[in-house]
């Protein structure tokens, strides 16, 4: 995803056609400048409207992913913790909205006003200040970028990506983390960590200008960042009580696989906005055709990931595992996010399939390492985020090995280190984990005083 694309591609030919008819039998005539100007303005109006509409449609599709994360997590945690997961997802999204307004948007998109660095040399730290939208009822002269799209639509769309990053962390740390330390971390993640590193690519920073980093919709910038933050958190937090005992991994099945399946389909649907609207323009025939191609490739990758996980779990365990298949679909989606435009349908399917294989192999690997990721977010978002960013090398001729690998390392080191410091600070200052008795009883009653399924709880 590249911010503020060149707006006028394809508009001048349209304007010239609108300037007046010309027939083969007639002598060439000089176009009326007034008519020509009006044609250009009409074409620019159309592009502005369609580009802004793309942001709005894509934004509310990505917003719907918040419901997907909530339902996926609600289905994969035990019933005594479902209300807490719902509370966390509603709260993290709300805090993300406020923090992105207060500081995140301008940090991510300084538009040349870098606090450290510049557009020419490569920016490192963006601008500080609240987001400001265009005035009410503007005309052409009042638009911040009349040749492109509305600031309000752009802000709304970009905010959804910040919230998605925080949602990734929620599931990994489920069933034993306190509510308020988690929300404080969310504030830091969405207000500082995410927008700073995102500015390095999408805001015109040094990963873009110096390394030529390609990450179309955020396999690294969004998904691996959420995964690195989750990994740092789980290393500080520790595993759930009883998860690892006497060298064995104790299964802790989720409460509702129907909800988890619903959540996966909601995420799958929302991903069309996540990837498709990251084309960031809908004002030309080429843009619309590319958006359709992105939709098709995104769907193909999800299908590839699900089928690969289905077949591999059948082979390995003699029975297919629905939780692995759900995460396989999500793994395919994450894997294609770095480059959903250039692959063929077959290549997109294979990229997604590799993501599905990665999940099936790395979920038990983390268990062997005694890293307790409740919903499998680290394999899906971190490992497949890395894979998807590397996979760009196979389908986009503009990608370079160093231009993909070095940014993966830089973003990972920054996100993991800062997240680790924040988690350790929260642990030292206020504690991040509930007591063992509270964990055994469930966080719903202990932290919230209510349960998601009160009718099914023994009195």
């Amino acid at each position: 995803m590249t911010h503020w694309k060149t707006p006028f591609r394809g508009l001048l030919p349209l304007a010239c056609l609108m300037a007046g008819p010309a027939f083969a039998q007639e002598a060439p005539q000089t176009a009326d400048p007034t008519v020509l100007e009006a044609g250009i303005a009409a074409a620019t109006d159309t592009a502005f409207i369609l580009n802004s509409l793309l942001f709005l449609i894509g934004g509310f599709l990505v917003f719907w992913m918040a419901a997907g994360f909530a339902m996926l997590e609600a289905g994969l945690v035990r019933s005594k913790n479902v209300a807490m997961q719902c509370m966390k997802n509603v709260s993290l999204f709300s805090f993300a909205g406020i923090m992105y307004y207060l500081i995140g948007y301008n940090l991510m998109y300084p538009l040349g006003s870098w606090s450290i660095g510049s557009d020419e040399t490569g920016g490192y730290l963006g601008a500080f200040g609240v987001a400001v939208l265009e005035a009410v009822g503007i005309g052409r002269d009042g638009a911040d970028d009349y040749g492109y799209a509305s600031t309000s639509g752009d802000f709304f769309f970009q905010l959804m990506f910040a919230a998605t990053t925080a949602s990734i962390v929620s599931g990994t740390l489920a069933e034993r983390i306190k509510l308020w330390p988690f929300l404080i971390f969310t504030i830091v993640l969405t207000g500082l960590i995410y927008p700073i590193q995102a500015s390095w690519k999408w805001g015109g920073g040094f990963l873009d200008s110096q390394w030529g980093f390609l990450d179309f919709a955020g396999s690294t910038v969004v998904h691996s960042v959420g995964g690195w933050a989750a990994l740092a958190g789980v290393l500080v937090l520790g595993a759930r009580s009883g998860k690892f005992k006497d060298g064995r991994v104790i299964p802790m099945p989720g409460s509702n696989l129907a909800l988890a399946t619903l959540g996966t389909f909601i995420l799958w649907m929302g991903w069309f906005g996540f990837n498709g609207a990251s084309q960031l323009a809908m004002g030309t025939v080429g843009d619309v055709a590319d958006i359709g191609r992105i939709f098709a490739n995104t769907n193909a990758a999800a299908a590839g990931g699900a089928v690969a996980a289905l077949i591999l779990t059948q082979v390995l365990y003699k029975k297919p595992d629905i939780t692995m298949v759900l995460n396989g679909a999500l793994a395919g989606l994450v894997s294609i996010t770095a480059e959903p435009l250039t692959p063929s349908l077959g290549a997109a399917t294979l990229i997604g399939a590799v993501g599905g294989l990665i999940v099936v192999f790395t979920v038990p690997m983390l268990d062997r390492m005694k890293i307790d990721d409740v919903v499998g977010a680290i394999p899906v978002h971190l490992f497949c985020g890395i894979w998807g960013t590397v996979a760009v090398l196979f389908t986009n001729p503009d990608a370079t090995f160093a231009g993909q690998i070095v940014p993966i390392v830089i973003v990972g080191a920054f996100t993991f280190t800062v997240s680790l410091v924040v988690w350790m600070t929260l642990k030292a200052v206020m504690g991040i984990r509930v007591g063992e008795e509270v964990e055994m009883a469930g966080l719903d009653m202990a932290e919230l005083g209510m349960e998601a399924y009160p009718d099914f709880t023994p009195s």
Side-chain angles (χ1 to χ4, degrees), residues 200-262:
W200 298 342
K201 165 56 187 170
W202 293 338
F206 76 100
L207 293 184
D208 184 53
S209 61
Q210 296 180 21
W211 290 96
F213 180 40
L214 300 180
D215 191 5
F216 191 93
S219 286
T220 285
V221 173
V222 177
H223 294 283
S224 76
V225 166
W228 285 117
L231 178 61
V234 76
L235 292 177
V236 176
L237 183 66
R240 288 169 289 178
S241 297
K243 177 65 178 177
F244 305 111
K245 187 175 181 180
D246 300 327
R248 295 179 297 120
V249 179
I250 308 301
M252 295 181 173
S255 62
N256 193 326
L257 293 180
L259 272 187
T261 303
L262 173 63

Side-chain angles (χ1 to χ4, degrees), residues 376-432:
I378 294 172
V380 169
H381 297 279
L382 176 53
F383 297 157
C384 291
I386 293 172
W387 153 242
T389 308
V390 173
V392 178
L393 292 165
F394 304 125
T395 66
N396 191 326
D398 293 330
T400 66
F401 183 82
Q404 296 304 105
I405 301 301
V406 172
I408 290 173
V409 174
I410 291 173
V411 170
F414 169 78
T415 304
F416 181 79
T417 301
V418 177
S419 296
L420 189 65
V421 170
V422 175
W423 284 122
M424 293 178 69
T425 301
L426 289 170
K427 180 178 181 179
V429 172
M430 59 191 305
I432 61 175

